[in-house]
Amino acid sequence: MMLEMDKVCAAYGPSQVLHEVSLKIHDQEIVTIIGSNGAGKSTILKTICGWLGTTSGQIQFAGERIDNNETKDIVRKGISISPEGRRVFPKLTVLENLEMGAYVCTKREFEEEVERVYQIFPKLKERTKQLASSLSGGEQQMLAIGRAVMSKPKLLLLDEPSLGLAPVMIDTVLEAIKIIKESGVTICLVEQNAQLALEIADRGYVLETGKIVLEGMGRELLRNEKVKNAYLGL
Amino acid sequence: MRKKWTWIVPLTLLILMLPLLIESSYFMHITILAMIYIILATSLNLLSGYTGLLSLGHHAFYGIGAYTAALSVMRLGLPFLLALLLSGILPMILSYLVGKITFRLRSSFFAISTIAFAEITRLVSINWVELTEGPMGLPNIPAASIGPLVLNSYNKQYYLVLILAVSSIFLSYRIVNSHIGRVFKGIKDAEYVAISTGVNIDRYLMIAIMAGAFMAGIAGGFYGQYMKFISPDVFYFQMTVNMVVMVIAGGLGTIGGPVVGAIIFTLAPEVLRFSEGYSFILYGIALILIILFLPGGLWSLLKKVKNLFKNSVYPNNSEIEGSDNLK
């Protein structure tokens, strides 16, 4: 078991956002969490990586409790996040952005990791000395994912990687996600674009107003009437 | 590469020979003050320029440094160099405590809490009469002596402050061009992302404030023995305002900016002296104009002029977007 959330509740101030969310992520699978705006998808990721404290319940990573730990410790344990909205450091170059992601590795590991990221995203290699702000939206998303991979995570959290990207770019990003998975990284993918997410995911959870209402294999959920109506627009 | 070095040789010679060129002791005094401000502006720039946390209490470190050096020479009879070292170390330790408390705050909240810290130090310096002689100040601080060498002339003082200024510029250059500097820029650029990469933000902010406090304290230590007198005026808020003006007008987050800013804004009040009461108005107008039309500060103006020159000499060598960063 890579990650297990057990009846996790979380709140922003007085308003409770997550209601007893329980989910499991096994080794080397892609798990997706789908749901509409404001369902609490990103909040789940925030509680996992320590940005938001939980009010009850527990989160275990590789058998160790990590809820309410600090982000910097959680990253060291092997969880990495690519936050929503292609977050990069606009005034740093592509290479510097990747260096920022490599805080937990040695210099030698760093060089190997950079090569690996450039293999996954050859576009970035061409632009290695360019400022991140000069990249296109898709390239920035690649960079954000690349940076998250730099810390050699066991579990990679991706928050809406398809957001605002051209369809061609979405395909490239999805291909990259598959490659990263094959290199042995477990992936938790949060998406509004349910169709895309369920197609590449092994398993999926459907979140509604902070509660898990449905779970199943990716393909099963794609065929599920309720999911079709609510999220796929079929 | 070779071209880059051509201007450094004459500049170094000029700086080294400055005392020979300036005959008036008044101008030597202004030059030495400018050097002190170079250290102060450079030290403030580490935290406020590179990581983006505006500190308005930075003069406290300067004042503490001044008192530390003066008191440890006068009361404890320590040799000057040791006292100077202490005048850097004590503010550095205090800055650690300040950082521990204030780093949970950002923007104006951080700025205000640093003012509060500086006000506390000012009030202590006025009211702890047994230690500081209060508002009477500490007169007759002996001039620095290094072994048998007593720095009893403007020229000798100039070379000491020159060494200190060059070292702090060098130290700050080394810091910002290492992985530490990259984190500084990352924190300023997108703190949220920096957190997500697992960087211990507080630790890096601490490096910035502690290195800055060390330099500012040393500047204070130098100032005391140079002026031979200090009073709680060293904790006067205007000091920080001067530093902030120098850093912003010179160029936030650049090595050269604070240096240029410090020189210009130390000279400006002297040059504007003819205008009497209006000098502050002119000072203010200049600052507003710089902020409006040169958001990158005077340093960016120098760069623009340099590029203009380059392009006119080599008309085909047009600047590539973003290539600034590659140099």
Side-chain angles (χ1 to χ4, degrees), chain A residues 46 51 71-72 75-76 80-81 83-84 87-93 96 99-101 103 129-131 147 151, chain B residues 179-180 182-183 185-201 203-204 321-322 325-326:
Chain A
K46 280 183 195 166
W51 273 331
T71 306
K72 58 178 201 280
V75 171
R76 265 172 209 283
S80 182
I81 181 165
E84 192 176 356
R87 299 294 195 117
V88 293
F89 298 103
K91 287 178 192 151
L92 298 184
T93 64
E96 285 175 326
E99 283 170 335
M100 284 294 290
Y103 263 79
K129 288 197 166 163
Q130 242 172 285
L131 291 186
R147 188 196 58 228
S151 64
Chain B
H179 76 282
I180 302 172
R182 211 165 51 233
V183 179
K185 286 179 212 159
I187 294 172
K188 186 180 176 185
D189 228 15
E191 190 174 350
Y192 180 72
V193 190
I195 297 170
S196 81
T197 59
V199 173
N200 187 343
I201 305 267
R203 206 176 110 210
Y204 285 91
E321 188 82 13
N325 216 279
L326 308 184

Side-chain angles (χ1 to χ4, degrees), chain A residues 93-166:
Chain A
T93 64
V94 168
L95 187 64
E96 285 175 326
N97 262 277
L98 295 178
E99 283 170 335
M100 284 294 290
Y103 263 79
V104 287
C105 33
T106 62
K107 186 146 180 109
R108 190 151 175 215
E109 284 174 328
F110 168 73
E111 271 149 26
E112 285 168 17
E113 285 305 299
V114 170
E115 267 321 301
R116 202 161 75 91
V117 171
Y118 284 161
Q119 266 170 27
I120 304 172
F121 300 111
K123 264 264 172 57
L124 293 182
K125 190 167 189 173
E126 296 165 20
R127 310 212 182 283
T128 179
K129 288 197 166 163
Q130 242 172 285
L131 291 186
S133 55
S134 69
L135 301 183
S136 76
E139 288 160 350
Q140 287 187 15
Q141 184 62 63
M142 293 175 191
L143 183 56
I145 296 175
R147 188 196 58 228
V149 176
M150 286 298 295
S151 64
K152 286 190 160 185
K154 296 182 194 117
L155 174 64
L156 177 63
L157 310 175
L158 296 173
D159 199 350
E160 305 241 13
S162 80
L163 192 74
L165 294 188

Side-chain angles (χ1 to χ4, degrees), chain B residues 221-233:
Chain B
F222 173 84
Y223 175 83
Q225 61 78 35
Y226 170 65
M227 295 302 282
K228 303 195 169 55
F229 172 75
I230 50 171
S231 71
D233 282 356

